[in-house]
Amino acid sequence: QVQLVESGGGPLQAGGSLRLSCAVSGYAYSSYYMGWFRQPPGKEREGVATIYTRTGSTYYADSVKGRFTISQDNSKNTLYLQMNSLKPEDTGMYYCAAAPAGRGYRPRLAADFDYWGQGTQVTVSS
């Protein structure tokens, strides 16, 4: 059973930077797609970025391209999301998620991911 624990959220002003971490344990497959999702208040959960653990290939939502960077440190079993030039619309609960690879497609929707962390809140004020 894969377990995910996020950390690093908090309140900050627009234009600032924040790095989220996701500690991963309990790997059962050789490779995964790891992703960051967010859920703004009163809205549905949306994908922010994903990374394929075997190759490091990444995908970003248009709204965060050029500002956010997803990365992994395999030696620490940790996933990161570096967020720069934050905007008030980036506010939300941020979740780490994992999906086993090998299904024949790159998962992008929340429904495609099997494992979830508890979330960490990011609040950006103007």
Side-chain angles (χ1 to χ4, degrees):
Q1 182 78 1
V2 176
Q3 295 183 328
L4 309 171
V5 179
E6 304 95 333
S7 61
L12 73 164
Q13 300 240 328
S17 296
L18 206 59
R19 188 177 79 161
L20 305 183
S21 299
C22 174
V24 186
S25 62
Y27 285 108
Y29 298 91
S30 60
S31 58
Y32 286 83
Y33 285 96
M34 302 296 299
W36 286 99
F37 287 75
R38 67 186 179 190
Q39 189 161 13
K43 296 185 178 180
E44 293 186 354
R45 197 169 297 189
E46 61 184 16
V48 174
T50 63
I51 187 168
Y52 180 36
T53 60
R54 177 168 289 183
T55 64
S57 69
T58 57
Y59 164 84
Y60 295 93
D62 288 342
S63 58
V64 305
K65 277 181 184 176
R67 300 189 299 122
F68 290 11
T69 302
I70 187 172
S71 63
Q72 57 184 355
D73 186 334
N74 293 331
S75 66
K76 297 181 179 180
N77 289 337
T78 302
L79 180 74
Y80 300 102
L81 184 68
Q82 177 66 43
M83 305 186 294
N84 299 327
S85 302
L86 281 159
K87 307 174 181 180
E89 51 263 43
D90 294 317
T91 293
M93 185 71 79
Y94 281 70
Y95 298 91
C96 174
R103 293 174 174 174
Y105 62 93
R106 185 182 190 109
R108 294 189 179 177
L109 303 177
D112 296 332
F113 286 78
D114 301 74
Y115 306 101
W116 292 85
Q118 82 289 348
T120 185
Q121 178 68 35
V122 174
T123 303
V124 185
S125 58
S126 58

